[in-house]
Amino acid sequence: MTTRTVLSVLSALLTLGTVAGAEIKIGVIVSATGPAASLGIPERNTVALLPQTIGGQKITYTILDDASDTTAAVTATRKLIQDTKVDLIIGTTTTPASLAMIDVVAEARVPMISLAASEAIIKPVDAKRSWVFKTPQTDALMATAIVQHMQRAKVKTVGYIGFNDAYGEGWLAELKKNAAARGIRVVAEERYGRSDTSVTGQVLKVVASRPDAVLIGASGVPAVLPQKTLKDRGYAGAIYQTHGVANADFLRVGGKDVEGAILPAGPVLVADQLPDTNPDKKVGLNYVTLYEAKYGAGSVSTFGAHLWDAGLLLRKAIPAALKTAQPGTPEFRSALRSALEGTRNVIGAHGIFNLSSTDHLGLDARSRVMVQVVNGTWKLLK
């Protein structure tokens, strides 16, 4: 055997060893503390339920907390890309922070699956957003369901109070667009901060406009405050919330003050109430069973299920990407982005995902149901 042959054999063995020992690094950023913690904690908890191997490759998850802060989310994104050398990022919890992360992941060419709601995170699919995907239903998709329900309930006027950030502004824009199309007038627009402790001034203005219904464009526990204040001020009309409140903490903190709230939600929230013909029922119940077995009965929320659905997308995309490139390389990250974009017919806890080059969410109307808070729990509206 010549020296050249020996070196070629050694090189091949080293290459095989590198491939065999390769691991896929996934960074996870969530809001485990701060105003959005009631959303971020179940997302963080769900990481423990994700697969440790996919396509024969070990998966390593690194979790960082952005404390519900946009600047911290951007810093965490850079840390995961530069220091941990991740192949993909899942996160973060809130819309403003997810929007701020787009420039960072696009520049580094690292795919990202957001856990936040706004349609602006993924649309339009331009050069930057081509690297960004998401699993939660968009504000646009859910606002349509809310306004359709209002129309059936003969609502003619609606007031709005929501977060004074990208989440709240996105919801207001979708409400206006959908309401105008159905002959419903928006008669009041008020904003408040996620950390505010009083919204009395805003609520008084909303009540003074005498709307048939009010939409609260907020998420998590901070969404309780406007509804409580509305009831304290004697408002008797219908109160709608967004899918950003669909967790046990909203019910626990709100108590009787959030009774009657109407909202759109992912099917997983009421998986046990779905008909057996619903394709998401089995997947949703499986997630609920796994989560509650680890964290306790009644602990599950729709937000953790968004991260679970991200894991389901990766189960399909990673094996496809591995056919053309190895983890830890720019080629693999690019292949993973392409594989996610080509994902079809993935049945998740929240709906059926059919992604494309123009749609980096891929959900349709089957991903939403209307529910109401009745006797301190969620009731599916027929």
Side-chain angles (χ1 to χ4, degrees):
M1 185 178 292
T2 66
T3 300
R4 179 176 295 178
T5 302
V6 170
L7 290 174
S8 296
V9 171
L10 287 173
S11 176
L13 289 173
L14 287 171
T15 300
L16 287 172
T18 300
V19 172
E23 64 178 1
I24 298 170
K25 296 180 179 180
I26 295 177
V28 180
I29 304 173
V30 295
S31 301
T33 57
S38 66
L39 287 63
I41 290 172
E43 293 168 353
R44 180 197 64 193
N45 289 348
T46 300
V47 177
L49 307 178
L50 297 183
Q52 301 302 302
T53 61
I54 299 178
Q57 298 290 332
K58 178 183 176 182
I59 311 293
T60 299
Y61 301 96
T62 301
I63 308 172
L64 297 179
D65 174 21
D66 66 17
S68 307
D69 180 78
T70 297
T71 301
V74 172
T75 300
T77 304
R78 291 198 175 102
K79 180 178 178 63
L80 288 171
I81 292 171
Q82 297 169 5
D83 298 346
T84 310
K85 311 295 184 185
V86 296
D87 295 300
L88 175 135
I89 290 175
I90 300 176
T92 186
T93 306
T94 65
T95 288
S98 289
L99 289 169
M101 291 163 60
I102 292 174
D103 284 344
V104 182
V105 297
E107 182 180 1
R109 300 176 69 83
V110 173
M112 161 182 152
I113 303 177
S114 172
L115 302 173
S118 176
E119 186 173 66
I121 296 167
I122 55 166
K123 287 189 176 181
V125 184
D126 51 21
K128 291 181 179 179
R129 287 174 175 80
S130 67
W131 290 92
V132 182
F133 304 83
K134 68 192 290 299
T135 51
Q137 301 88 338
T138 63
D139 43 14
L141 185 64
M142 294 308 218
T144 301
I146 287 176
V147 177
Q148 286 174 346
H149 188 277
M150 288 180 178
Q151 187 177 39
R152 290 194 296 270
K154 310 299 183 183
V155 169
K156 298 299 182 183
T157 57
V158 59
Y160 177 84
I161 176 170
F163 286 155
N164 59 353
D165 60 24
Y167 184 86
E169 293 305 310
W171 265 98
L172 178 57
E174 292 300 332
L175 172 64
K176 286 182 172 180
K177 179 174 68 176
N178 282 276
R182 290 171 174 80
I184 299 173
R185 291 190 299 119
V186 179
V187 294
E189 303 173 19
E190 295 295 326
R191 282 86 164 173
Y192 74 107
R194 290 176 184 251
S195 301
D196 287 356
T197 57
S198 174
V199 292
T200 300
Q202 297 96 316
V203 164
L204 287 174
K205 292 177 182 178
V206 171
V207 172
S209 68
R210 302 172 64 87
D212 296 330
V214 174
L215 171 61
I216 299 172
S219 62
V221 172
V224 171
L225 181 61
Q227 184 156 353
K228 181 182 188 309
T229 309
L230 281 163
K231 291 200 170 184
D232 288 346
R233 294 294 167 175
Y235 180 72
I239 299 176
Y240 290 82
Q241 294 273 1
T242 76
H243 58 314
V245 305
N247 66 12
D249 281 347
F250 176 77
L251 298 178
R252 176 183 57 80
V253 173
K256 63 180 178 59
D257 292 317
V258 297
E259 275 290 309
I262 302 168
L263 60 140
V268 67
L269 184 67
V270 288
D272 60 335
Q273 300 176 47
L274 297 174
D276 292 340
T277 54
N278 189 303
D280 299 305
K281 181 171 185 174
K282 182 177 179 180
V283 177
L285 287 176
N286 178 53
Y287 172 69
V288 171
T289 299
L290 290 171
Y291 191 96
E292 293 191 345
K294 187 171 182 65
Y295 300 108
S299 60
V300 75
S301 88
T302 62
F303 302 102
H306 291 312
L307 195 139
W308 178 256
D309 284 347
L312 294 178
L313 294 179
L314 291 176
R315 285 175 189 259
K316 193 162 186 177
I318 285 175
L322 286 170
K323 292 179 181 178
T324 59
Q326 291 303 318
T329 65
E331 292 78 13
F332 179 74
R333 293 190 286 274
S334 180
L336 188 53
R337 190 213 70 81
S338 296
L340 282 168
E341 192 172 82
T343 300
R344 303 285 189 276
N345 297 316
V346 171
I347 301 176
H350 278 282
I352 301 173
F353 293 87
N354 286 287
L355 287 78
S356 70
S357 60
T358 58
D359 186 353
H360 279 194
L361 169 64
L363 292 176
D364 55 28
R366 294 173 295 179
S367 68
R368 68 193 186 200
V369 294
M370 293 300 294
V371 302
Q372 187 170 25
V373 179
V374 178
N375 296 324
T377 191
W378 311 107
K379 178 180 174 59
L380 175 66
L381 295 177
K382 305 299 184 181

